[in-house]
Amino acid sequence: MNLGFDTFDTFRFKQLVFVNSAAYAYTQIRIDQHTALFGENNLGKTSMLNALKLFLLPEVNFRNCGSKFNFRGTNGNLYDGMASFRYYFPEDRTFIILEAENPHGDFCIVLHRGAATEKMEYARLVVPCPYERLEALFWDVDAGGDGGIGAPVETMTLQGVKALLHEMGGEPLSDPKTILERLFTNQPYDKKAGRYSLLPLRNGAGKPEMDAWRKLVHLAFDISASDERTLPDTLATIIEGQKSRKEEELQLDLNAIVEEAYQLREEGDRITRIRNASDRWEKFNERFKDETQLRGQAAKAYADLNESVEVEEGRLQEAMEAASGALTKADSRAEALRDIARETDNSVKTTAAEVKATGKQVDRLRKEINAAHATLNEFPGMSGQEIIESLDEHIVEQEQYIEGYNNKAVAQQQHADICNRLAGNERQAKRLDEKLTSRTPTLLDDLTVSDASILNSLNRSLGTTHGVLTHEQKQAFAHFSQQFLSEDGSLVLGHHHERIALSDIAYQEYDAEKSRQHMQGQLNELKAIIAQDKKYRDKLLEEATMGPEEIARRRQRAEQEISKAKKDKNSLNALDANLQTLGSLEGELHEKEEKLKEQKHQYGIAEVQWKEADENRQEAGQEHKNIKGQAQQVRLIRQRLDRIGKDANNVLEGRHKVIKPTPCEVSEANIVALEESVDDLSAQRNKVHEQLRKLLTMDILSNTDSLAHLSSFTGDQVADFHEQLKAVFDNLDTQEANYRHQVDRHNKTTHSQVDILRSAKQMVAAFISGINAEMGQFSISDLEEVRVDYKLHPRFEQLLADLEKADLLSDELQDNKVYEQLKAFQADFFNADARRTGILLSLDKILAGVHYKYRKRGEEGWTTNAQSNGTTMMITTNLLSVLMSRLVDGDAQVTMPLVMDEFGSLATQNMRTARQIAEQHGYCLFVANPNRDSKITQVLGNYVHLGLFHATQAYAENRTVVHHGLCESLARKGTLTRRAADTQIEGASLSEEEANQ
């Protein structure tokens, strides 16, 4: 049934579309007519009903989901934000669309995933056209597959859909402020501003109106009022939202009253303390004056003596400067002459040291030269280089000995090496000896060396073939050899320009005598080596039988031999340089000895001059000491003056700095008299301080508790406190009069604030009375009249009762219990954040409960007994309509769905009554039930059985439910048919028995 509120100010919710959301591939549900949702559990019927909150509330994310949307499962538990976000917006290709109508035309609100998925955001697009123009973007209804239920649009993407909607005039609503302005305000004369007005709130989308609207939304989804705080919170918020003037707000500050009372009580106590301390003040005032007089006398004596000391210090300063100048001059001359004598003495010592050092160098060189000559004498007939080579051999030999001494295995190896070398050398010597003794002439022996060499170069066998040439042969060989020459190590054939170089034939000299001498030399060398090796072998054999002591002795002897050989070698190497250096040093030594003699003479003269200057310095020093002693006496007096003037207690308080001084004698007597005067002043000051501490501990002056425990006070502090105390005691009568006036004003303020509390109670009573006046126009079932009853919080009631007993306009402060009660009440019943809204009484806290009371037809008494769930739902529906009329613009008619879950639990008669009540207030019933119920279809006429149609092709495997205007009706061939959107399905008439179930 189409209710058809076709007035100019009609605001209508038309249909709800899910695309790839919740459990649905694509569902299209009419909500501008009574509609029932059937289907098994977990198909998302309740979540479909709850999805309306996403459009009814100006939210942009699922954070704090419980307080925003109150999504609950079948077990009553709240769903958290992330679970809700993933359920309604599981991916980018997810959309939830609401088609609506207002006086400016049809429009759609399209919800989709937001940019910040980690923040659980969703976004809105508003499009100025009916949904039928958008349908093709989301589902192909005319696709032939799946028995006519259509198929998904494969090319659908979030960016693609947003681009197409933008081309159709769509625009995003991103921030809450814009959403409030565009969706929740009525702009009947401004089409651009009011094009997407969904809910025209009476006073615009201000915070009070939106707070009240949120409560109404939760009430609309809790028609049975199962949550005991639903009604109290809703009514309290609407009462708050209806205040049109600032004066109507329950704004008061009980804490300020309490704080002022505490301050006044403290002020009264302080005045009493002042009155009780009058005698002590008189004593303090008298001693303060005595101290002031004594301070003036001591300050004058201090100024006189201080000025006279400064004059004496000036005179002594001049004398000290003159004596210091003379002493400095004498000291400078004495120091200068002493420096000359010291420098001369240092020069003598330096030159003497140089003479000594040079003499030592000369002696050392002479010793080294003598050692070198001794070494030369040990090796007669040998050159220095030959001796050095012999010493190197000796060093190597001794090192071998040491190595053998240190390591037996090395010694054994050395013995083996010596034996092998001996055997080889003896064999070689034997061969050489045999060659020398048994040599026979060769063919070349009788030729000249040059001829023999040419022939030997041409054929080496001629030099090894034995025999004697005849005379003719000798001449032939000589003639033949003369055809050749030797050049650059090779033979040349011919002479002069006809020469032929034989570069491949090397020149090989042949000299029989030279060869014999060479062999003899080789033999001699071998014999010497053999003799040495035999000696070394015998030594090794001998050492092999020696004990460790003898071995150690020989090792030490070898080391000594090495050390001596190295020393001798070094002396030989340095002999020439040492001879040259010695000559140079001997000349240098003579020059330094002459220089030393002259320096000693100069030192004698400088020492005499210095002693004379030192005597003059001692005389100037004594004069300086005498003046310094006088200055020290004055300085001691100055120090005693400074201890008085700069004393930490500062008894003079700086008075001496402003007094004109009179000259006096700088004497011990005057400084003693001043010190005694200051001591008397200090004692008097201590007495003043003691009296001041006692006054400060009496808490007469504010913020002086910590100062009362100070060890001392400055003069300015004492004078300041004296001035403050004098002002307090001189004006005590005036303070007492002011206090009485403040108490009177405070009591009047408290009385006016309590009146505001009473007005809160009256405001609730007046609002409930107005509601009941409208509720009295309806009757439900056998109930003749229904009223809303309420209960205020017991503490609020008790506070008002206690305040009635108190005399708030008396001339005395109230008992502390009254103020403590006010303070505790504000802490629990006022808003927590007063920075933006002021300190306001929270009506939802004092409204402890709201319930219905009933008067049955034919009865006079009222009852609060619980009614059936259906009756309660119908009553709440009436209440909802009454409350809506206070929020929605009076010239507008809003046709919106009224959500009821588990609708089948109502009796048929109550179902019909629910429909009738909904229609009276312009609502459409949007209900859900697990099973198809003939009673529901009979009453409502329109239903959707979710879950009957599943798409084999969907956007996601777990979201396949499809419905797009196809209702449950059987055609003759059992196929699905599309029916008009406003077609009613009327079932068979129910029997009276069914109707009363």
Side-chain angles (χ1 to χ4, degrees), residues 612-641:
E612 180 180 354
D614 187 57
E615 291 176 359
N616 294 333
R617 176 174 62 179
Q618 292 176 5
E619 293 175 358
Q622 184 61 42
E623 179 65 18
H624 182 270
K625 182 178 180 181
N626 294 336
I627 297 174
K628 186 177 180 180
Q630 299 174 24
Q632 178 64 19
Q633 294 177 359
V634 174
R635 187 179 300 110
L636 292 176
I637 295 176
R638 164 58 66 195
Q639 290 175 354
R640 292 160 76 178
L641 276 173

mmCIF file of all heavy atoms in Angstrom, residues 612-641:
data_model
loop_
_atom_site.group_PDB
_atom_site.id
_atom_site.type_symbol
_atom_site.label_atom_id
_atom_site.label_comp_id
_atom_site.label_asym_id
_atom_site.label_seq_id
_atom_site.Cartn_x
_atom_site.Cartn_y
_atom_site.Cartn_z
ATOM 1 N N GLU A 612 126.122 44.822 46.391
ATOM 2 C CA GLU A 612 125.876 46.229 46.734
ATOM 3 C C GLU A 612 124.394 46.573 46.487
ATOM 4 O O GLU A 612 123.748 47.230 47.311
ATOM 5 C CB GLU A 612 126.787 47.124 45.898
ATOM 6 C CG GLU A 612 126.607 48.618 46.192
ATOM 7 C CD GLU A 612 127.513 49.485 45.341
ATOM 8 O OE1 GLU A 612 128.355 48.898 44.612
ATOM 9 O OE2 GLU A 612 127.368 50.707 45.382
ATOM 10 N N ALA A 613 123.829 46.173 45.351
ATOM 11 C CA ALA A 613 122.409 46.450 45.036
ATOM 12 C C ALA A 613 121.478 45.735 45.990
ATOM 13 O O ALA A 613 120.409 46.254 46.344
ATOM 14 C CB ALA A 613 122.111 46.037 43.595
ATOM 15 N N ASP A 614 121.831 44.578 46.482
ATOM 16 C CA ASP A 614 120.969 43.820 47.387
ATOM 17 C C ASP A 614 120.856 44.515 48.732
ATOM 18 O O ASP A 614 119.780 44.497 49.357
ATOM 19 C CB ASP A 614 121.539 42.413 47.546
ATOM 20 C CG ASP A 614 120.610 41.517 48.331
ATOM 21 O OD1 ASP A 614 119.416 41.363 47.908
ATOM 22 O OD2 ASP A 614 121.022 40.955 49.363
ATOM 23 N N GLU A 615 121.917 45.178 49.192
ATOM 24 C CA GLU A 615 121.853 45.940 50.443
ATOM 25 C C GLU A 615 120.882 47.111 50.312
ATOM 26 O O GLU A 615 120.080 47.378 51.225
ATOM 27 C CB GLU A 615 123.247 46.439 50.823
ATOM 28 C CG GLU A 615 124.202 45.326 51.230
ATOM 29 C CD GLU A 615 125.608 45.833 51.517
ATOM 30 O OE1 GLU A 615 125.808 47.066 51.364
ATOM 31 O OE2 GLU A 615 126.483 45.022 51.879
ATOM 32 N N ASN A 616 120.886 47.800 49.195
ATOM 33 C CA ASN A 616 119.945 48.911 48.963
ATOM 34 C C ASN A 616 118.494 48.396 48.947
ATOM 35 O O ASN A 616 117.580 49.052 49.436
ATOM 36 C CB ASN A 616 120.259 49.608 47.645
ATOM 37 C CG ASN A 616 121.610 50.317 47.682
ATOM 38 O OD1 ASN A 616 122.087 50.718 48.760
ATOM 39 N ND2 ASN A 616 122.231 50.476 46.524
ATOM 40 N N ARG A 617 118.275 47.251 48.376
ATOM 41 C CA ARG A 617 116.927 46.684 48.330
ATOM 42 C C ARG A 617 116.412 46.358 49.732
ATOM 43 O O ARG A 617 115.243 46.570 50.053
ATOM 44 C CB ARG A 617 116.929 45.428 47.460
ATOM 45 C CG ARG A 617 115.571 44.718 47.431
ATOM 46 C CD ARG A 617 115.556 43.569 46.469
ATOM 47 N NE ARG A 617 116.526 42.551 46.837
ATOM 48 C CZ ARG A 617 116.691 41.416 46.148
ATOM 49 N NH1 ARG A 617 115.990 41.189 45.055
ATOM 50 N NH2 ARG A 617 117.588 40.525 46.545
ATOM 51 N N GLN A 618 117.224 45.851 50.596
ATOM 52 C CA GLN A 618 116.809 45.521 51.964
ATOM 53 C C GLN A 618 116.371 46.766 52.721
ATOM 54 O O GLN A 618 115.397 46.735 53.472
ATOM 55 C CB GLN A 618 117.948 44.813 52.695
ATOM 56 C CG GLN A 618 118.238 43.416 52.143
ATOM 57 C CD GLN A 618 119.435 42.753 52.824
ATOM 58 O OE1 GLN A 618 120.000 43.302 53.787
ATOM 59 N NE2 GLN A 618 119.843 41.597 52.309
ATOM 60 N N GLU A 619 117.043 47.890 52.511
ATOM 61 C CA GLU A 619 116.663 49.140 53.183
ATOM 62 C C GLU A 619 115.282 49.615 52.689
ATOM 63 O O GLU A 619 114.440 50.017 53.490
ATOM 64 C CB GLU A 619 117.717 50.211 52.905
ATOM 65 C CG GLU A 619 119.068 49.905 53.552
ATOM 66 C CD GLU A 619 120.130 50.914 53.180
ATOM 67 O OE1 GLU A 619 119.814 51.837 52.372
ATOM 68 O OE2 GLU A 619 121.281 50.800 53.658
ATOM 69 N N ALA A 620 115.040 49.545 51.370
ATOM 70 C CA ALA A 620 113.723 49.942 50.828
ATOM 71 C C ALA A 620 112.623 49.001 51.301
ATOM 72 O O ALA A 620 111.490 49.414 51.569
ATOM 73 C CB ALA A 620 113.776 49.951 49.299
ATOM 74 N N GLY A 621 112.944 47.758 51.469
ATOM 75 C CA GLY A 621 111.958 46.781 51.943
ATOM 76 C C GLY A 621 111.528 47.040 53.363
ATOM 77 O O GLY A 621 110.347 46.863 53.712
ATOM 78 N N GLN A 622 112.444 47.486 54.225
ATOM 79 C CA GLN A 622 112.086 47.765 55.609
ATOM 80 C C GLN A 622 111.138 48.954 55.696
ATOM 81 O O GLN A 622 110.168 48.941 56.464
ATOM 82 C CB GLN A 622 113.366 48.045 56.414
ATOM 83 C CG GLN A 622 113.131 48.247 57.893
ATOM 84 C CD GLN A 622 112.509 47.027 58.563
ATOM 85 O OE1 GLN A 622 112.893 45.897 58.279
ATOM 86 N NE2 GLN A 622 111.531 47.266 59.443
ATOM 87 N N GLU A 623 111.385 49.993 54.867
ATOM 88 C CA GLU A 623 110.490 51.147 54.839
ATOM 89 C C GLU A 623 109.082 50.738 54.381
ATOM 90 O O GLU A 623 108.078 51.156 54.957
ATOM 91 C CB GLU A 623 111.058 52.216 53.904
ATOM 92 C CG GLU A 623 110.211 53.456 53.753
ATOM 93 C CD GLU A 623 110.081 54.252 55.048
ATOM 94 O OE1 GLU A 623 110.916 54.047 55.965
ATOM 95 O OE2 GLU A 623 109.154 55.087 55.147
ATOM 96 N N HIS A 624 109.049 49.919 53.375
ATOM 97 C CA HIS A 624 107.764 49.433 52.856
ATOM 98 C C HIS A 624 107.017 48.609 53.900
ATOM 99 O O HIS A 624 105.787 48.709 54.062
ATOM 100 C CB HIS A 624 108.022 48.593 51.590
ATOM 101 C CG HIS A 624 106.764 48.077 50.949
ATOM 102 N ND1 HIS A 624 106.202 46.846 51.288
ATOM 103 C CD2 HIS A 624 105.950 48.626 49.995
ATOM 104 C CE1 HIS A 624 105.116 46.662 50.563
ATOM 105 N NE2 HIS A 624 104.938 47.726 49.781
ATOM 106 N N LYS A 625 107.759 47.851 54.701
ATOM 107 C CA LYS A 625 107.151 47.002 55.735
ATOM 108 C C LYS A 625 106.515 47.844 56.829
ATOM 109 O O LYS A 625 105.434 47.530 57.337
ATOM 110 C CB LYS A 625 108.213 46.086 56.317
ATOM 111 C CG LYS A 625 107.682 45.128 57.372
ATOM 112 C CD LYS A 625 108.801 44.213 57.877
ATOM 113 C CE LYS A 625 108.271 43.261 58.936
ATOM 114 N NZ LYS A 625 109.364 42.375 59.448
ATOM 115 N N ASN A 626 107.188 48.961 57.198
ATOM 116 C CA ASN A 626 106.655 49.828 58.250
ATOM 117 C C ASN A 626 105.305 50.418 57.824
ATOM 118 O O ASN A 626 104.338 50.443 58.592
ATOM 119 C CB ASN A 626 107.649 50.945 58.575
ATOM 120 C CG ASN A 626 108.936 50.387 59.192
ATOM 121 O OD1 ASN A 626 108.916 49.290 59.770
ATOM 122 N ND2 ASN A 626 110.036 51.111 59.069
ATOM 123 N N ILE A 627 105.238 50.928 56.581
ATOM 124 C CA ILE A 627 103.974 51.508 56.087
ATOM 125 C C ILE A 627 102.905 50.431 55.967
ATOM 126 O O ILE A 627 101.731 50.655 56.273
ATOM 127 C CB ILE A 627 104.215 52.193 54.736
ATOM 128 C CG1 ILE A 627 105.206 53.365 54.916
ATOM 129 C CG2 ILE A 627 102.918 52.680 54.134
ATOM 130 C CD1 ILE A 627 105.620 54.014 53.612
ATOM 131 N N LYS A 628 103.301 49.256 55.571
ATOM 132 C CA LYS A 628 102.359 48.146 55.420
ATOM 133 C C LYS A 628 101.739 47.764 56.770
ATOM 134 O O LYS A 628 100.560 47.417 56.866
ATOM 135 C CB LYS A 628 103.082 46.946 54.813
ATOM 136 C CG LYS A 628 102.164 45.778 54.469
ATOM 137 C CD LYS A 628 102.956 44.675 53.800
ATOM 138 C CE LYS A 628 102.032 43.513 53.454
ATOM 139 N NZ LYS A 628 102.791 42.413 52.795
ATOM 140 N N GLY A 629 102.543 47.855 57.847
ATOM 141 C CA GLY A 629 102.012 47.548 59.183
ATOM 142 C C GLY A 629 100.917 48.525 59.574
ATOM 143 O O GLY A 629 99.885 48.139 60.141
ATOM 144 N N GLN A 630 101.152 49.830 59.294
ATOM 145 C CA GLN A 630 100.117 50.823 59.592
ATOM 146 C C GLN A 630 98.841 50.545 58.800
ATOM 147 O O GLN A 630 97.728 50.630 59.311
ATOM 148 C CB GLN A 630 100.652 52.229 59.266
ATOM 149 C CG GLN A 630 101.879 52.646 60.067
ATOM 150 C CD GLN A 630 102.444 53.968 59.609
ATOM 151 O OE1 GLN A 630 101.753 54.796 59.026
ATOM 152 N NE2 GLN A 630 103.749 54.190 59.884
ATOM 153 N N ALA A 631 99.040 50.200 57.516
ATOM 154 C CA ALA A 631 97.879 49.909 56.662
ATOM 155 C C ALA A 631 97.129 48.675 57.155
ATOM 156 O O ALA A 631 95.894 48.591 57.078
ATOM 157 C CB ALA A 631 98.318 49.706 55.213
ATOM 158 N N GLN A 632 97.858 47.698 57.717
ATOM 159 C CA GLN A 632 97.222 46.489 58.229
ATOM 160 C C GLN A 632 96.308 46.803 59.409
ATOM 161 O O GLN A 632 95.215 46.235 59.530
ATOM 162 C CB GLN A 632 98.306 45.480 58.638
ATOM 163 C CG GLN A 632 97.769 44.183 59.229
ATOM 164 C CD GLN A 632 96.956 43.372 58.238
ATOM 165 O OE1 GLN A 632 97.073 43.583 57.034
ATOM 166 N NE2 GLN A 632 96.114 42.498 58.736
ATOM 167 N N GLN A 633 96.736 47.721 60.291
ATOM 168 C CA GLN A 633 95.890 48.101 61.420
ATOM 169 C C GLN A 633 94.586 48.741 60.940
ATOM 170 O O GLN A 633 93.503 48.433 61.444
ATOM 171 C CB GLN A 633 96.657 49.072 62.328
ATOM 172 C CG GLN A 633 97.874 48.452 63.013
ATOM 173 C CD GLN A 633 98.653 49.456 63.840
ATOM 174 O OE1 GLN A 633 98.305 50.650 63.897
ATOM 175 N NE2 GLN A 633 99.732 49.016 64.487
ATOM 176 N N VAL A 634 94.715 49.649 59.936
ATOM 177 C CA VAL A 634 93.510 50.272 59.376
ATOM 178 C C VAL A 634 92.646 49.220 58.667
ATOM 179 O O VAL A 634 91.411 49.249 58.731
ATOM 180 C CB VAL A 634 93.900 51.411 58.417
ATOM 181 C CG1 VAL A 634 92.664 51.972 57.725
ATOM 182 C CG2 VAL A 634 94.646 52.518 59.168
ATOM 183 N N ARG A 635 93.292 48.260 58.005
ATOM 184 C CA ARG A 635 92.556 47.233 57.278
ATOM 185 C C ARG A 635 91.735 46.361 58.243
ATOM 186 O O ARG A 635 90.611 45.945 57.926
ATOM 187 C CB ARG A 635 93.514 46.362 56.473
ATOM 188 C CG ARG A 635 92.805 45.364 55.556
ATOM 189 C CD ARG A 635 93.783 44.534 54.741
ATOM 190 N NE ARG A 635 94.614 45.385 53.903
ATOM 191 C CZ ARG A 635 95.908 45.606 54.075
ATOM 192 N NH1 ARG A 635 96.542 45.026 55.099
ATOM 193 N NH2 ARG A 635 96.585 46.396 53.287
ATOM 194 N N LEU A 636 92.295 46.087 59.424
ATOM 195 C CA LEU A 636 91.557 45.292 60.410
ATOM 196 C C LEU A 636 90.296 46.021 60.863
ATOM 197 O O LEU A 636 89.244 45.418 61.041
ATOM 198 C CB LEU A 636 92.460 44.977 61.603
ATOM 199 C CG LEU A 636 93.625 44.015 61.312
ATOM 200 C CD1 LEU A 636 94.510 43.864 62.543
ATOM 201 C CD2 LEU A 636 93.083 42.648 60.886
ATOM 202 N N ILE A 637 90.455 47.342 61.062
ATOM 203 C CA ILE A 637 89.272 48.138 61.423
ATOM 204 C C ILE A 637 88.262 48.108 60.271
ATOM 205 O O ILE A 637 87.046 47.999 60.490
ATOM 206 C CB ILE A 637 89.683 49.580 61.787
ATOM 207 C CG1 ILE A 637 90.547 49.569 63.057
ATOM 208 C CG2 ILE A 637 88.465 50.478 61.948
ATOM 209 C CD1 ILE A 637 91.096 50.949 63.446
ATOM 210 N N ARG A 638 88.780 48.210 59.026
ATOM 211 C CA ARG A 638 87.886 48.137 57.852
ATOM 212 C C ARG A 638 87.147 46.793 57.799
ATOM 213 O O ARG A 638 85.951 46.737 57.512
ATOM 214 C CB ARG A 638 88.725 48.350 56.585
ATOM 215 C CG ARG A 638 88.044 47.934 55.286
ATOM 216 C CD ARG A 638 86.745 48.665 55.067
ATOM 217 N NE ARG A 638 86.972 50.090 54.858
ATOM 218 C CZ ARG A 638 86.002 50.992 54.922
ATOM 219 N NH1 ARG A 638 84.759 50.621 55.229
ATOM 220 N NH2 ARG A 638 86.260 52.265 54.722
ATOM 221 N N GLN A 639 87.836 45.716 58.080
ATOM 222 C CA GLN A 639 87.204 44.397 58.052
ATOM 223 C C GLN A 639 86.089 44.300 59.083
ATOM 224 O O GLN A 639 85.014 43.726 58.824
ATOM 225 C CB GLN A 639 88.247 43.304 58.291
ATOM 226 C CG GLN A 639 89.223 43.136 57.140
ATOM 227 C CD GLN A 639 90.316 42.136 57.464
ATOM 228 O OE1 GLN A 639 90.429 41.645 58.586
ATOM 229 N NE2 GLN A 639 91.164 41.859 56.453
ATOM 230 N N ARG A 640 86.343 44.874 60.278
ATOM 231 C CA ARG A 640 85.309 44.852 61.323
ATOM 232 C C ARG A 640 84.121 45.715 60.909
ATOM 233 O O ARG A 640 82.962 45.379 61.189
ATOM 234 C CB ARG A 640 85.916 45.308 62.644
ATOM 235 C CG ARG A 640 86.925 44.287 63.169
ATOM 236 C CD ARG A 640 87.878 44.883 64.188
ATOM 237 N NE ARG A 640 87.264 45.085 65.495
ATOM 238 C CZ ARG A 640 87.906 45.551 66.561
ATOM 239 N NH1 ARG A 640 89.200 45.865 66.459
ATOM 240 N NH2 ARG A 640 87.268 45.712 67.706
ATOM 241 N N LEU A 641 84.431 46.844 60.212
ATOM 242 C CA LEU A 641 83.344 47.669 59.682
ATOM 243 C C LEU A 641 82.542 46.903 58.628
ATOM 244 O O LEU A 641 81.307 46.944 58.597
ATOM 245 C CB LEU A 641 83.909 48.950 59.052
ATOM 246 C CG LEU A 641 84.192 50.120 59.996
ATOM 247 C CD1 LEU A 641 84.910 51.224 59.232
ATOM 248 C CD2 LEU A 641 82.903 50.639 60.612
#
